[in-house]
Amino acid sequence: MDDDTDGASPAGRTPATHNVFSGGAAENLIQANVVHLGFGSAAPRSLGGLPPRLPGLLGRAAPRAHLRGLLAPDRDGDAPPAIAVTGEGGVGKSALAVAAAHAAVAEGWFPGGVLYADAGAHSGREPVGVEELLGTWLRSFGIPGDQLQPHRDGLLAQFRSTLRDQRGAVLILLDDASADRHIAPLIPADDRHRLLVTVRVVPADPRVAVVPLAPLAPEDSRALLADRATGAARRPELDEIAALCEHLPLALEVMAGRLRTERDGARRILDALRPAGERLTELDPVRQAFDASYRALDGPDARLLCFLGLHPGSVIDAGTAAALAGVSAPEADRTLRRLVRAHLLQPTGSEGRARFHDLLRLYARELAGREPAAERTAALGRLLAHYGERAAGAGDAWFEGERGTLAAAVAEAVEHGLYGRVEPVAAPLVAYLIRRTHTVDALTVLRQAVLAAQHRGDHRREAELLLTMRRQYWALGRRTEARKCAEAGHLARIRLGVRSPEVDDEFGERAAERGDHEAARHHHQRAAQAWRWRGDTRRLAASLSALGQALEALGHFEEAAGAYTGAAARAGAAGDLVVAAHASLRLAGCATHGRRRDVDVVQLRQVLGVAREAGDLRATIEALELLAVAEIQAGRTPVAAPLLQEAIGLAETHRLPLLLNRLLRVELERLQLEAKGAEAAALQARVERLPTPTPPEVPEPPVRLAARHVRPVLLRLFAFPVCGALWALVRLLWALVQGGPVVLWLGQLLVAAGMTLGARQRWLPSHRPLLAFTVRGVHPTAVARRVYIAETWIDALGTPAAGAGLLAAGASAGALRDSLVAAALLVLHGAAQLWPRLRERLKSRS
């Protein structure tokens, strides 16, 4: 029906002054000229808030291409709704993500706009919550604040609805996000839109495509530094700065800022970066980035990272981490995986191992340094115990991978006073290093092992290790260091008291080095007999092998062959494949030099097999050489070629110049026999160009603490004999002046002088006997066969017998009381010589 028709003018109704209602009734009608619906003016939209591009984004071609492909809209329906750029702090995630976002917008891929926010998960302040992010972005869509939902679920629904209603695709860029808090709620449901986040921890959500970011390539690092440098900087200096920065973009930017200052050149920067303890101080923004990652860790993860700072190497497995932290291996493995996800460790290989890069390792060491000293020492003790258990049954492959870490762990143990933990790790490590001709490394570990033995008071082990060091120094041509080790080892030996077969073996080796092979034979015969009496098959084999060398040097090839055969058999029975390999090798060489028979190629191949099984590199090379020579002599030069090539390759790889020179000359002979003139000439030129081998740099012998043996050894050897001699001399002078039994005191003086001479003989590191005579055999030349007095029996039984004789002589001369003093001094001298061995046996039993 029509309402209010009476006021109509003849000309018709005025527009907007009359309303027509039909089909119902209305109450409380409000009539207005103009009606504005809504609450104020509409809020403005703000969907283009990208931060500016960061300058100097060098390299990154592969991750940029990968990210571009993930952001592109034409992906046939398999586009990921969320993309995470991951990496450690300071690696350049934000720069890459912002650059990719700018490129995507420029391509027109996101006409709906861009939403940006910094979540601040590692900023040091409270991270931005999901509710705050949603509110900010909804306002960017023009929604007023009083129309926002009051709770998280409502905000999420409102955000998704708003995205669904957008005509164009929207890019959501969230910087410095938390993998657990931020990503999953913000993943858009509409597959047109993309969520791009930068995050340090790899997200576990399968909907997120991960773009891992590593440090820069070396050439890109150098280019970044060179681009910033205002002064002249040489390429090697820039390369070293980049390497010390671990090619981390944040660290490189810090150093690039310094290079922009003309007066702050590359050399000064290197002087500041090279000391490991100062590096993170120079790179303080990097330390702050690491601090933020550390603060974000849970308690167990933070604790393990802290203890990993005590690890002396860069590669860590679950067992090592468990030993350091005192937790189970499965728990340590889970924690390592979480640290890898957080980019505080880097995965390596497929065995669950992880590693630090150098800057993170320095940071972890700083963390460990904050722990109490007692906890650090306990952790190192657990680590050494773990390595000792692993080393006991490990093969060469494990030692090759861990040798640097093990050597550093041994040094850490000595530095922290864990002397009892050194031997289980050092002994098998040294054996491996010597087998593989890592002689300098072996000397480094031996030095630490000697120091540990000295601090433990284990004089026997100290002497054994010093003897081993002497051999290694001698093999490298370091005669001075070898002599120092020999003298220090001799002091440790004589402090043990009773002369041992090791002394004879050592004296035999030193005699052979001087060219006195007759004395060497005598000493090794004595040692072999002693080891045979003691039932020590392994050491008997070593003495027999050394005896064979002495006999071979004297031209007694038949006897030498017998000694080598016995050594090989006993070493094989004792499971000492190294000694067995060397004895078998020398047996083959003895057969060649002695012209006893033609060399048995089959036997040489067996020797080569034993050497390979023993893992002894030098024995393997020498066996290959002998076998190649035998094949050449038999006219089978093609068969010798691969043997020589293998031997030459091993000698080159392991830097054995003397062996290499010898092998090249054998190869030259082979080429000449095969009439390969051009190849022979080239090889001859190579041999002539080979430099003269020079002894390498080696660690100093650990002989400083050996001086502690001098005073106790001098007192034990000379105190009682000298006192006895002085007493007898005084009584003799008294008898000459006042009258008395002159013969008695003269006899006592001679006995005391004899004991002093015997003590001197034991003190001097000499092979010369007290008494010696020569026996002429059937050989045309005289062969000196020295007969040595057994000092042990003189000390143990001779002094009591001499004391009893002095008492009897004094009683018959009426000077029993005076003779009692001299006899007591002699008996005490004999007891002093036996006391070290007795103490050692009591200690071993306890």
Side-chain angles (χ1 to χ4, degrees):
M1 60 177 289
D2 292 339
D3 185 29
D4 195 16
T5 59
D6 294 339
S9 66
R13 297 172 177 173
T14 302
T17 59
H18 295 81
N19 296 304
V20 178
F21 296 88
S22 62
E27 295 182 359
N28 300 324
L29 178 65
I30 298 174
Q31 179 69 46
N33 185 22
V34 179
V35 177
H36 294 285
L37 299 177
F39 302 88
S41 61
R45 291 166 58 91
S46 177
L47 297 176
L50 272 177
R53 288 187 180 92
L54 297 177
L57 185 66
L58 298 175
R60 304 304 194 193
R64 290 179 77 169
H66 187 194
L67 194 52
R68 175 185 173 85
L70 293 172
L71 290 172
D74 51 347
R75 287 182 55 89
D76 299 330
D78 64 343
I83 306 163
V85 180
T86 67
E88 63 185 294
V91 80
K93 302 182 295 296
S94 299
L96 177 65
V98 170
H102 277 284
V105 171
E107 292 282 352
W109 292 347
F110 296 99
V114 179
L115 298 173
Y116 170 78
D118 183 356
H122 299 89
S123 62
R125 64 180 188 273
E126 183 66 24
V128 179
V130 173
E131 295 87 347
E132 187 176 351
L133 289 171
L134 292 171
T136 300
W137 287 337
L138 286 170
R139 290 186 184 93
S140 297
F141 282 114
I143 300 175
D146 54 1
Q147 292 186 13
L148 299 180
Q149 294 296 322
H151 50 80
R152 173 172 167 151
D153 289 342
L155 286 171
L156 283 171
Q158 194 173 12
F159 182 66
R160 290 167 183 158
S161 175
T162 303
L163 285 177
R164 185 179 62 247
D165 294 340
Q166 296 301 305
R167 292 184 177 181
V170 175
L171 175 64
I172 307 166
L173 176 57
L174 182 59
D175 194 17
D176 195 16
S178 168
D180 298 329
R181 295 176 58 181
H182 291 130
I183 296 179
L186 299 178
I187 294 178
D190 191 332
D191 59 6
R192 295 176 302 154
H193 312 300
R194 297 283 192 283
L195 172 64
L196 175 60
V197 299
T198 66
V199 63
R200 296 191 185 186
V201 179
V202 178
D205 196 318
R207 296 173 295 174
V208 181
V210 176
V211 180
L213 201 58
L216 291 175
E219 56 272 16
D220 294 328
S221 299
R222 186 194 320 117
L224 189 153
L225 294 173
D227 183 61
R228 304 291 199 279
T230 56
R234 295 184 297 112
R235 176 171 175 172
E237 292 175 335
L238 295 179
D239 286 340
E240 186 177 357
I241 292 174
L244 291 173
C245 291
E246 287 291 322
H247 306 287
L248 199 64
L250 179 58
L252 291 168
E253 287 291 346
V254 174
M255 292 299 103
R258 290 188 60 180
L259 284 171
R260 279 194 294 267
T261 305
E262 291 185 6
R263 62 179 178 273
D264 203 5
R267 187 170 302 174
R268 186 176 178 187
I269 291 175
L270 284 173
D271 291 340
L273 286 178
R274 281 168 181 158
E278 302 295 330
R279 197 170 305 158
L280 284 179
T281 304
E282 294 292 327
L283 301 171
D284 190 60
V286 177
R287 176 190 275 144
Q288 294 177 21
F290 293 163
D291 275 333
S293 296
Y294 177 68
R295 288 193 300 267
L297 295 176
D298 293 335
D301 297 357
R303 181 175 184 272
L304 182 62
L305 181 67
C306 177
F307 278 110
L308 290 182
L310 298 172
H311 189 261
S314 59
V315 179
I316 306 110
D317 58 19
T320 302
L324 277 169
V327 298
S328 66
E331 181 179 353
D333 184 59
R334 290 190 294 270
T335 307
L336 285 179
R337 292 200 302 270
R338 290 194 294 268
L339 292 175
V340 168
R341 282 185 58 209
H343 290 92
L344 290 168
L345 291 175
Q346 299 172 341
T348 174
S350 59
E351 301 175 357
R353 294 156 64 91
R355 68 178 181 89
F356 283 119
H357 66 59
D358 284 346
L359 290 179
L360 269 169
R361 180 167 59 177
L362 292 175
Y363 177 74
R365 288 194 174 184
E366 288 186 359
L367 294 177
R370 303 172 192 171
E371 295 296 312
E375 291 195 20
R376 296 199 305 269
T377 302
L380 284 173
R382 292 192 299 267
L383 178 67
L384 267 294
H386 166 73
Y387 278 141
E389 293 173 1
R390 291 289 304 275
D396 284 359
W398 183 80
F399 279 111
E400 183 61 31
E402 298 287 345
R403 63 189 179 98
T405 300
L406 294 175
V410 168
E412 290 277 348
V414 174
E415 182 180 349
H416 288 82
L418 299 171
Y419 307 120
R421 298 289 190 184
V422 170
E423 186 64 22
V425 180
L429 176 60
V430 166
Y432 163 78
L433 292 173
I434 292 175
R435 286 199 311 272
R436 306 305 294 175
T437 68
H438 301 303
T439 310
V440 176
D441 293 340
L443 285 169
T444 302
V445 179
L446 280 167
R447 188 178 192 279
Q448 300 298 329
V450 170
L451 292 173
Q454 289 172 340
H455 284 291
R456 292 196 310 267
D458 188 348
H459 308 313
R460 177 173 294 280
R461 186 58 181 157
E462 176 188 357
E464 292 174 353
L465 291 169
L466 284 167
L467 174 59
T468 305
M469 287 195 77
R470 188 197 67 79
R471 291 169 179 162
Q472 302 311 309
Y473 279 128
W474 189 269
L476 291 176
R478 309 293 299 214
R479 302 295 189 257
T480 302
E481 290 83 356
R483 185 176 65 254
K484 290 179 180 179
C485 283
E487 293 170 353
H490 181 71
L491 279 175
R493 289 277 186 215
I494 59 178
R495 188 168 182 181
L496 289 172
V498 179
R499 180 165 175 167
S500 61
E502 291 97 336
V503 175
D504 275 309
D505 274 327
E506 180 181 357
F507 285 174
E509 291 179 11
R510 295 171 68 181
E513 290 166 0
R514 290 192 304 271
D516 191 350
H517 300 294
E518 183 59 47
R521 177 177 70 168
H522 174 81
H523 279 294
H524 289 308
Q525 281 178 336
R526 277 174 56 104
Q529 187 62 38
W531 294 128
R532 189 177 287 109
W533 288 340
R534 295 188 183 187
D536 194 329
T537 306
R538 185 180 64 84
R539 297 196 177 187
L540 171 60
S543 294
L544 287 174
S545 182
L547 174 61
Q549 287 182 279
L551 290 168
E552 186 176 357
L554 291 171
H556 303 164
F557 297 109
E558 293 290 343
E559 297 177 38
Y564 288 143
T565 302
R570 287 172 172 83
D576 192 338
L577 294 179
V578 173
V579 174
H582 281 275
S584 300
L585 189 62
R586 288 165 183 158
L587 176 61
C590 180
T592 303
H593 298 143
R595 301 287 189 266
R596 297 188 312 106
R597 54 183 172 81
D598 293 335
V599 177
D600 189 346
V601 174
V602 175
Q603 182 185 8
L604 282 177
R605 292 193 179 276
Q606 292 175 351
V607 172
L608 177 60
V610 173
R612 291 188 194 277
E613 186 180 358
D616 191 292
L617 185 67
R618 188 176 295 274
T620 301
I621 295 175
E622 291 180 355
L624 287 167
E625 179 191 13
L626 271 179
L627 186 56
V629 170
E631 296 289 3
I632 290 173
Q633 291 176 349
R636 296 186 291 268
T637 53
V639 179
L643 299 172
L644 283 171
Q645 291 303 317
E646 181 183 357
I648 291 170
L650 290 173
E652 288 178 332
T653 301
H654 295 273
R655 299 179 182 178
L656 302 173
L658 295 178
L659 275 177
L660 177 61
N661 193 303
R662 200 168 70 197
L663 290 166
L664 290 177
R665 295 184 185 280
V666 177
E667 172 68 1
L668 180 61
E669 179 186 355
R670 183 190 69 81
L671 292 174
Q672 291 171 345
L673 289 174
E674 292 184 354
K676 296 180 178 180
E679 296 180 25
L683 185 58
Q684 178 67 43
R686 178 186 175 187
V687 171
E688 293 174 354
R689 289 195 305 269
L690 286 176
T692 302
T694 56
E697 293 297 322
V698 293
E700 284 294 319
V703 298
R704 183 177 60 85
L705 292 178
R708 299 180 304 173
H709 300 315
V710 174
R711 181 178 297 177
V713 166
L714 285 175
L715 288 174
R716 181 169 57 82
L717 290 181
F718 295 102
F720 293 118
V722 170
C723 288
L726 290 176
W727 173 257
L729 181 60
V730 169
R731 299 306 300 168
L732 177 61
L733 294 174
W734 182 264
L736 290 174
V737 175
Q738 299 293 331
V742 175
V743 176
L744 171 64
W745 300 119
L746 184 60
Q748 289 189 6
L749 181 60
L750 290 175
V751 171
M755 292 303 169
T756 305
L757 183 61
R760 175 185 177 277
Q761 181 68 18
R762 299 194 64 185
W763 166 261
L764 295 176
S766 172
H767 71 284
R768 295 299 176 187
L770 289 175
L771 297 176
F773 61 93
T774 300
V775 178
R776 296 187 181 277
V778 296
H779 298 285
T781 59
V783 179
R785 301 182 182 273
R786 296 177 175 89
V787 177
Y788 288 74
I789 297 177
E791 293 92 340
T792 297
W793 294 105
I794 290 179
D795 292 332
L797 302 178
T799 48
L806 288 177
L807 286 177
S812 63
L816 179 61
R817 182 178 300 176
D818 293 332
S819 298
L820 186 61
V821 175
L825 289 173
L826 293 175
V827 172
L828 288 174
H829 173 69
Q833 310 317 304
L834 292 177
W835 167 244
R837 177 57 61 89
L838 178 61
R839 180 182 58 188
E840 184 181 359
R841 290 191 176 183
L842 291 175
K843 186 186 297 184
S844 63
R845 290 180 180 179
S846 63

